[in-house]
Amino acid sequence: MSIVWIVGVGAATAVGCAVVAVLVTRFTVWGRQFRRLAFAYFSVRVGGWRPLLTVLLLLLLTVASVRLSVLLSYQSNGMYTALQNLDGATFARYVVIFGVLATLYVVQTLMSYYVQQALVIPWRVWLNDRVVGDWLDGRAYHRGRFTPSAVDNPDQRIQEDIATFPADSVTLAVGAVSALVSLVSFTIILWQLSGPLTVFGFGIPRAMTFIAYIFVIIASVIAFRIGRPLIRLNFLQERFSAAFRYALVRMRDNSENIAFHRGERVEHDTLSGRFHDIVGNAWAIVFRSLKFQGFNLAVSQISVVFPVIIQAPRYFAGQITLGDVQQTATAFGQVHDSLSFFRNAYDQFASYRAVLDRLVGLLDANDQARALPSVSIEKGEGLEVRDLTVRLPADGRTLVDALDLSVAQGGSLLVTGRSGGGKTTLLRSMAELWPWAWGMVRRPLAEESLFLSQQPYVPLGDLRTALAYPGPADRIDDVQAVEVLHKVQLPHLVDRLDEVADWASRLSPGEQQRLGFARVLLTRPRVVFLDEATSALDEGLEHTLYTLVREELPDCTVVSIGHRSSLRQFHDDVLELLGDGTWHTGATPR
C-alpha cells in the first residue's frame, strides 16, 4: 500500500510542481529570472532526459520521506499506547517496526543526498559554461565597463553565485515539496485525532486542525513583514564584500608601486572605508535577524507544548490514549513545520533572490555590452580606414574626426601625438573595443591580426602557455620555443618553459614586452598593432625586436603607437593626431 501511495502521490506532486512552475515563472519577477537561468538546462534538446528524470526521482524520494514520517507517527502511537496498557508483547512488536522504518529512513536520506548532488553538480557545470560563455561572447567582459549600469564584481557572481544558485534551488524546492506533502498527510491525521473545543460558548469541531492553521498563518504573515528587509541587506553584503576583496587583490597586484610611494596610509584608509561598509551592513543584518529569528524561535517553542495542552483534557477524560496524545503532538509539529517552512526559509530565500538578481544582472549587462555600437570591421589585406570618427563619452569631445588612410600589405604606420590625444583609443576602435567610434576599418581578422599593449597580458599557467597565448600551448614545440626566446633576448627562460608560476609578477615589464614580440614571431599575423610595445626597453633592444619583425614577417602590416623618434626608422608612414579631432598623414622622413 505504501508503494502505491508513494507512486500515486509522487505523480500528483509532479503535475502540481509543473503547474506551479508555469504560474510562478509567468507571474513573478523571481520566477522569470529562474526561467531565464534554468529552463534551458531542463530542456530535452539541451540536457537530454537525465535532468528531468533526476528531478522525478528526487520527487519520489521526497514523497517517500513523508510517507516514512507518517508511518513512524503511527508506530509511535502504537508503542506509547502499549506502554500505557502495560502490554509488553505489543511494545516489542512496535520496537521491531521502528527498527525497520528507521533503517528505511536512513537509506532514503542517503539516497536523497546523492540524487540531489547528481542534479546540482551537472547543473552547476552547465550554468558555469553558459554564463562564462555569455560573458566572453562579443567581448562583453570588456565592453561591459562602458554600459550605463556596469555590473560590479562579475568574478564574484561567476565564482560564488553560480555555485549557490543550483544548490539553493534544489534545497528550497525539495523543502517546499516536502512541506506541502507533509501538510496534507498530517492534516488528515490531525483531523482524525482532533476533538471539539468550546471557546466563549461556541463549539469548534476538530478544533486542533483549525488552531494549527490559524496559529501558523498569523505567525508567517508577521515573520514576512519582519524579514523582508533581509533581501536588500544580503544583496548589499555581497556587494560590499566583493568590493573589499577587489581592493585587497588590487593592492597585492600593485604592491611595488604602493611601496615606492609609501602609500600604506592611503591604502589603509581605503581598505578601512570599504571594510566599514561591510561591518555596518553586517550589524544591520544582525539586528534584523535578531527580530526575525527571535520571533521564529518564540513561535517554535510555543508550538511544542501547545497541542499537548489542548489534548490534555480529553486524555484525562479517557477519550484518547497516551499514544493519541503523542501522535497529535507529532502531527501538530509536522503541520506547524510545514506551514512554517516559508516563514523559516525566508532568510535563505532572501539570499536566493539576491543571487538571482546578481546573475540575471550580469546577463543583462552582457546583452547591453554587445548592443553597444562599434566601427564596421571588414576583412581585407593591409589596413584601410574610411571616415573613422572617435569621441569621448563624458563630454562628446572628438579625438579623431573622419580619418581616412591606407597601409599596404607589408607596410608600416607610426601613430604619434601628444599624451591624451587619443592614440590608444584609436587603436581600441580598430579592435572593436571602443563603443564611441563610427566608420569602417578593413584589415585581416581573427588569428591573422594581433594587438600588443604596453603591458602584454600574461595568462595563468606555465611559461609555454604565456608564450603561445592566445593560441593553445601545444601548438609550439620545444625547438620553436627555445629559438624564439633566444631571438627576443630571453635565453635565461629556456629551461623554465613548463614551470607554472605567476609570470605576470615574475617577469619585469621589459621581459613581458619581449615576450609579446615572441608571440608575434610565433603567431605570424598578417597585421600587428603595437601600443608603445617597447616603452620599457632601451633603444638597442627596440631596434633588435623591430628588425626581427621586419625581417621574419616581411608581409606583415605593422601599426605602432609611440613617442620615441627612434621608431620612425621602422615605419613607412606617420599619422600624427593634432588634437580636437584633426590629424595629418605623411611619409616618414628618411
Side-chain angles (χ1 to χ4, degrees):
M1 289 296 294
S2 291
I3 295 177
V4 174
W5 187 92
I6 291 171
V7 173
V9 173
T13 301
V15 173
C17 288
V19 173
V20 170
V22 171
L23 295 176
V24 167
T25 55
R26 177 171 295 183
F27 296 109
T28 67
V29 174
W30 67 268
R32 289 190 290 271
Q33 291 174 329
F34 177 85
R35 178 177 61 193
R36 183 175 177 185
L37 291 170
F39 268 31
Y41 176 68
F42 293 98
S43 169
V44 177
R45 290 178 297 179
V46 175
W49 286 100
R50 181 173 178 177
L52 289 176
L53 292 176
T54 306
V55 170
L56 291 176
L57 179 57
L58 188 57
L59 284 177
L60 282 176
L61 288 170
T62 303
V63 171
S65 174
V66 175
R67 183 59 178 175
L68 286 172
S69 297
V70 170
L71 295 176
L72 283 169
S73 75
Y74 281 106
Q75 179 274 335
S76 177
N77 188 333
M79 187 172 67
Y80 278 94
T81 301
L83 281 174
Q84 179 184 7
N85 296 333
L86 304 178
D87 187 346
T90 302
F91 176 80
R93 181 163 59 88
Y94 277 107
V95 169
V96 173
I97 293 174
F98 172 79
V100 174
L101 293 176
T103 301
L104 292 174
Y105 192 85
V106 170
V107 173
Q108 179 274 329
T109 301
L110 294 177
M111 288 184 62
S112 293
Y113 171 76
Y114 175 79
V115 173
Q116 284 191 39
Q117 298 309 307
L119 176 61
V120 168
I121 294 175
W123 186 1
R124 178 184 175 184
V125 171
W126 173 85
L127 184 62
N128 182 79
D129 290 343
R130 179 197 169 189
V131 174
V132 171
D134 187 75
W135 189 48
L136 296 176
D137 184 38
R139 299 189 180 97
Y141 62 92
H142 174 77
R143 291 168 64 86
R145 69 181 63 185
F146 303 121
T147 58
S149 55
V151 298
D152 56 286
N153 308 299
D155 53 315
Q156 179 259 342
R157 301 179 188 225
I158 293 173
Q159 188 268 323
E160 292 184 10
D161 293 339
I162 286 178
T164 301
F165 171 67
D168 284 359
S169 296
V170 172
T171 299
L172 290 170
V174 169
V177 169
S178 178
L180 291 172
V181 177
S182 295
L183 180 64
V184 174
S185 301
F186 283 97
T187 295
I188 295 173
I189 295 175
L190 195 61
W191 181 269
Q192 295 170 347
L193 295 172
S194 296
L197 180 68
T198 302
V199 179
F200 301 116
F202 294 96
I204 304 176
R206 310 290 180 179
M208 180 64 71
T209 306
F210 295 108
I211 291 173
Y213 274 80
I214 293 172
F215 176 77
V216 178
I217 289 173
I218 293 175
S220 298
V221 171
I222 297 173
F224 284 149
R225 293 184 63 86
I226 296 174
R228 185 174 181 81
L230 285 171
I231 296 178
R232 176 64 178 169
L233 291 173
N234 280 300
F235 182 88
L236 290 175
Q237 192 69 2
E238 292 293 337
R239 172 182 289 179
F240 293 149
S241 297
F244 180 63
R245 183 171 58 250
Y246 173 76
L248 290 170
V249 172
R250 191 171 183 273
M251 181 177 176
R252 182 197 65 191
D253 292 343
N254 296 276
S255 59
E256 183 176 338
N257 286 328
I258 294 171
F260 270 132
H261 286 86
R262 299 187 183 277
E264 292 83 3
R265 185 173 63 180
V266 174
E267 295 300 323
H268 182 271
D269 291 342
T270 300
L271 293 175
S272 296
R274 296 198 175 195
F275 187 68
H276 177 75
D277 292 337
I278 296 175
V279 173
N281 195 72
W283 277 115
I285 292 176
V286 167
F287 292 133
R288 179 57 58 174
S289 295
L290 282 174
K291 298 175 184 178
F292 181 68
Q293 295 178 12
F295 179 78
N296 281 341
L297 287 171
V299 170
S300 297
Q301 291 302 312
I302 293 173
S303 66
V304 172
V305 70
F306 191 73
V308 178
I309 294 174
I310 298 297
Q311 289 287 63
R314 298 183 65 214
Y315 173 73
F316 292 131
Q319 298 176 3
I320 56 177
T321 65
L322 179 62
D324 291 334
V325 175
Q326 178 66 24
Q327 190 176 19
T328 299
T330 300
F332 184 91
Q334 290 284 356
V335 170
H336 169 268
D337 291 345
S338 299
L339 288 171
S340 301
F341 168 79
F342 299 99
R343 169 170 56 85
N344 293 328
Y346 195 82
D347 189 18
Q348 184 181 6
F349 183 70
S351 300
Y352 181 70
R353 284 286 306 274
V355 168
L356 286 172
D357 289 340
R358 287 193 296 270
L359 285 177
V360 171
L362 177 59
L363 295 180
D364 288 339
N366 294 342
D367 290 339
Q368 293 173 15
R370 284 187 287 270
L372 290 173
S374 65
V375 299
S376 174
I377 302 293
E378 299 179 5
K379 186 175 181 179
E381 295 297 323
L383 175 66
E384 183 180 357
V385 178
R386 291 289 174 262
D387 198 27
L388 178 61
T389 298
V390 181
R391 291 193 175 97
L392 290 177
D395 54 8
R397 183 165 63 92
T398 299
L399 298 176
V400 181
D401 186 27
L403 175 64
D404 288 296
L405 63 85
S406 295
V407 181
Q409 183 67 38
S412 55
L413 173 71
L414 175 63
V415 182
T416 65
R418 62 179 177 81
S419 296
K423 301 184 296 299
T424 298
T425 305
L426 173 62
L427 206 64
R428 291 170 180 157
S429 301
M430 293 181 182
E432 298 180 274
L433 301 181
W434 188 253
W436 294 281
W438 300 266
M440 186 277 293
V441 175
R442 184 176 289 115
R443 60 172 175 80
L445 304 179
E447 297 84 4
E448 294 185 333
S449 64
L450 184 65
F451 291 80
L452 278 187
S453 63
Q454 187 173 4
Q455 184 176 2
Y457 173 68
V458 181
L460 299 174
D462 56 27
L463 185 61
R464 190 188 302 272
T465 299
L467 193 61
Y469 191 84
D474 57 5
R475 76 181 178 88
I476 58 172
D477 56 33
D478 290 347
V479 175
Q480 289 177 298
V482 170
E483 180 182 2
V484 77
L485 287 175
H486 278 285
K487 287 180 178 178
V488 298
Q489 308 298 310
L490 292 174
H492 56 286
L493 297 179
V494 295
D495 295 327
R496 306 174 68 183
L497 279 171
D498 297 313
E499 179 181 334
V500 177
D502 183 7
W503 290 106
S505 60
R506 291 281 186 91
L507 299 177
S508 69
E511 289 175 320
Q512 292 182 38
Q513 290 189 342
R514 279 177 275 169
L515 186 70
F517 272 86
R519 291 177 188 164
V520 175
L521 298 177
L522 289 169
T523 305
R524 307 186 67 82
R526 303 285 291 172
V527 60
V528 61
F529 297 86
L530 306 173
D531 184 5
E532 300 198 46
T534 58
S535 59
L537 305 176
D538 59 51
E539 291 188 2
L541 274 175
E542 178 183 83
H543 186 280
T544 298
L545 295 177
Y546 266 95
T547 301
L548 271 172
V549 171
R550 300 315 300 156
E551 290 180 351
E552 299 207 5
L553 304 175
D555 295 328
C556 176
T557 303
V558 178
V559 179
S560 300
I561 290 176
H563 295 281
R564 291 179 178 175
S565 59
S566 57
L567 289 173
R568 292 178 177 267
Q569 61 183 308
F570 304 109
H571 298 85
D572 302 322
D573 299 294
V574 175
L575 166 64
E576 184 178 4
L577 302 184
L578 303 174
D580 298 325
T582 59
W583 48 273
H584 175 266
T585 60
T588 304
R590 298 295 181 180

